[in-house]
Amino acid sequence: KNKTMTTIFKILGTVNDSDTYFCNYLANRIASSVEDVKIDFSAEFEVDYLLKIEAFKRGPLGSKFMHHKALHFVFRNDVPIGDINAFIELAGNVYNLEDPQISNTILFNRSVREDTYQLMATNKRPIVYMQFIDKAIGNRSPPLIFETIYIELYSDFCPKACDNFIKLCTAGTAKHYLNCPIHRMVKNGWFQCGDVVDGSGKYSCAATTKTIQDESFSIDFGLSVGGVVGYSNSGPHSSGSQFFVTLGPCEWMNQSFVGVGRVVQGFSTLRQLNSLKTSNQVPDKAILISSCGLAPMDP
């Protein structure tokens, strides 16, 4: 009797993407209809997924990933299949599944909430969330809606800097990030926020002291996908409340700024912010922090 070759479906995706869970569901449907199918499923933070896609782009099959935008990717026996639409087509044409596109989206959305909560709750480093809002809400012009940003803090490298950031996020002191505007936007570079005095960008005050000491310059700001969070400064040991988030690789910042964390989820917001119209590096729209605090929030 001939031995059937095992088919391995690898589903790589992000924990905040319901289509990632649909692909896993579809792979399990295939596995229940044919023999010798194994499934390798991985749902992770968005930043880790994006970095893997960037690595694939530099590899021998880079052309398969060059224009990929989805937050999930399916392989069959290490051969790239593509996104949910390509997988649905394969399931119907190759495995003769009836109505492969039909699914229970409520179940997948629940998995997103529960797995995101679990991943953040078990993370070894603290995570804070930050929600931005377009001040135009309530005006005639349609407001921009932003996905929540989640920031993993490097408490193992700079505990004092992280403690200061948490205090400013949780409004545990008179100084806090609530209603702080983005006061500077450098296209494809970074955006700057956190003036807790008047929002102009002139002031930067730590939560309980005037400034905090520089603890570490070990964080790399050259991350290709951006999302590295650091404190703005005016010289040695001058970090306070102002922070920036990179929108692309910024290697020139290395050894000059204290890196406090990295965005792990919410990269669509970074892309939206990067596309804002500006005048002299000031966003034309007033974008404020409307909510922030420690994650995870209840699922």
Side-chain angles (χ1 to χ4, degrees):
K1 185 178 179 179
N2 293 331
K3 186 177 180 181
T4 305
M5 188 180 94
T6 300
T7 298
I8 301 175
F9 285 109
K10 181 176 182 180
I11 294 99
L12 179 66
T14 67
V15 74
N16 60 329
D17 175 53
S18 61
D19 287 344
T20 296
Y21 293 88
F22 173 88
C23 290
N24 185 46
Y25 160 80
L26 191 55
N28 277 280
R29 278 192 65 190
I30 294 172
S32 66
S33 66
V34 298
E35 295 181 353
D36 295 316
V37 172
K38 293 184 178 179
I39 300 167
D40 179 4
F41 176 70
S42 174
E44 56 196 349
F45 282 134
E46 191 177 348
V47 63
D48 298 318
Y49 168 83
L50 292 175
L51 288 171
K52 285 181 181 178
I53 295 298
E54 287 292 309
F56 285 134
K57 288 179 180 179
R58 297 190 294 270
L61 298 174
S63 61
K64 298 286 186 180
F65 302 90
M66 201 56 61
H67 302 292
H68 184 73
K69 302 294 184 185
L71 294 179
H72 58 274
F73 202 97
V74 180
F75 301 81
R76 183 175 64 162
N77 295 333
D78 293 327
V79 176
I81 299 301
D83 64 6
I84 184 173
N85 296 317
F87 196 25
I88 288 172
E89 184 177 352
L90 179 101
N93 294 342
V94 177
Y95 295 99
N96 298 316
L97 285 190
E98 292 186 8
D99 299 320
Q101 76 282 1
I102 294 178
S103 64
N104 186 344
T105 56
I106 294 175
L107 180 64
F108 303 143
N109 289 333
R110 183 188 304 155
S111 294
V112 165
R113 291 193 303 272
E114 292 177 351
D115 286 8
T116 298
Y117 177 86
Q118 183 65 23
L119 189 59
M120 291 186 181
T122 56
N123 197 64
K124 293 180 179 179
R125 292 169 173 160
I127 294 176
V128 296
Y129 68 90
M130 198 167 281
Q131 179 72 56
F132 289 91
I133 191 171
D134 181 354
K135 200 178 178 182
I137 286 181
N139 297 341
R140 289 184 178 179
S141 58
L144 295 171
I145 305 299
F146 299 101
E147 179 187 3
T148 302
I149 288 177
Y150 291 91
I151 301 169
E152 177 188 61
L153 299 177
Y154 294 131
S155 55
D156 44 343
F157 290 99
C158 45
K160 293 180 181 178
C162 291
D163 181 64
N164 179 61
F165 202 85
I166 289 171
K167 282 186 171 71
L168 291 164
C169 280
T170 55
T173 64
K175 304 168 190 171
H176 52 77
Y177 286 144
L178 286 176
N179 297 317
C180 274
I182 293 176
H183 61 264
R184 188 182 184 193
M185 176 70 65
V186 180
K187 295 285 186 179
N188 302 314
W190 69 95
F191 73 81
Q192 207 162 321
C193 187
D195 180 343
V196 297
V197 178
D198 65 5
S200 66
K202 296 178 181 178
Y203 305 98
S204 184
C205 306
T208 56
T209 58
K210 187 176 181 181
T211 59
I212 55 175
Q213 295 277 309
D214 295 335
E215 291 176 277
S216 172
F217 292 109
S218 58
I219 304 306
D220 181 15
F221 290 97
L223 201 65
S224 59
V225 297
V228 184
V229 183
Y231 278 117
S232 309
N233 66 48
S234 56
H237 308 299
S238 62
S239 298
S241 59
Q242 278 199 42
F243 66 94
F244 59 85
V245 181
T246 62
L247 300 170
C250 294
E251 295 93 340
W252 64 270
M253 293 181 174
N254 291 346
Q255 305 302 315
S256 297
F257 298 91
V258 173
V260 70
R262 64 171 188 161
V263 173
V264 292
Q265 309 233 129
F267 280 82
S268 66
T269 291
L270 299 191
R271 291 190 291 271
Q272 277 182 283
L273 293 174
N274 193 40
S275 68
L276 290 176
K277 293 182 179 180
T278 61
S279 301
N280 297 319
Q281 297 185 345
V282 177
D284 290 348
K285 282 180 171 283
I287 309 297
L288 312 177
I289 297 174
S290 62
S291 177
C292 53
L294 270 173
M297 295 176 286
D298 291 335

